[in-house]
Amino acid sequence: MAKTSAVEKNKRRRKLVANHAAKRAALKAITQNQALPIEERFQATLKLAALPRNGSKTRIRNRCEVTGRPRAFYRKLGMSRIALRELGNSGKVPGIVKSSW
């Protein structure tokens, strides 16, 4: 079995989340509806648990677009602090000026 990178795993998770989002939302709505009988809500909970774990949105990790680094991620720029610093120093990120780094 070939090893896959964490970046590829994250891409697969994004696809799974997109595929299962509607079904997951419908099941969650059933489980949280207090007007429905407890048996029906429990069945919805079991169906929700049977869906793949990686289909949940919370399993997606924000990663740097440049390096794939998962930590110190700036959402606004889509990259990590290290990539931001390197690209900022070389003048490739507009609006970033080297201060005293």
Side-chain angles (χ1 to χ4, degrees):
M1 185 174 174
K3 276 192 158 186
T4 57
S5 71
V7 175
E8 291 301 316
K9 285 181 191 176
N10 212 33
K11 286 180 183 176
R12 281 200 313 265
R13 285 180 180 153
R14 286 187 190 278
K15 288 179 187 175
L16 264 175
V17 167
N19 289 342
H20 292 284
K23 187 172 187 178
R24 190 173 279 279
L27 289 172
K28 284 190 84 147
I30 292 171
T31 60
Q32 294 172 358
N33 188 354
Q34 295 292 319
L36 294 175
I38 189 78
E39 295 83 18
E40 190 174 338
R41 290 185 300 172
F42 186 68
Q43 289 301 319
T45 304
L46 291 177
K47 288 179 185 175
L48 191 61
L51 290 176
R53 277 189 184 172
N54 286 334
S56 175
K57 192 174 181 184
T58 58
R59 301 278 290 196
I60 295 175
R61 180 73 192 223
N62 287 332
R63 289 189 172 271
C64 176
E65 295 292 324
V66 180
T67 61
R69 191 173 195 274
R71 311 256 178 183
F73 176 82
Y74 289 97
R75 289 183 185 192
K76 194 171 185 180
L77 300 169
M79 63 178 78
S80 68
R81 64 180 176 82
I82 296 170
L84 176 64
R85 182 174 179 175
E86 288 175 3
L87 293 175
N89 278 341
S90 61
K92 295 180 181 174
V93 179
I96 301 285
V97 179
K98 181 182 180 288
S99 183
S100 59
W101 287 352

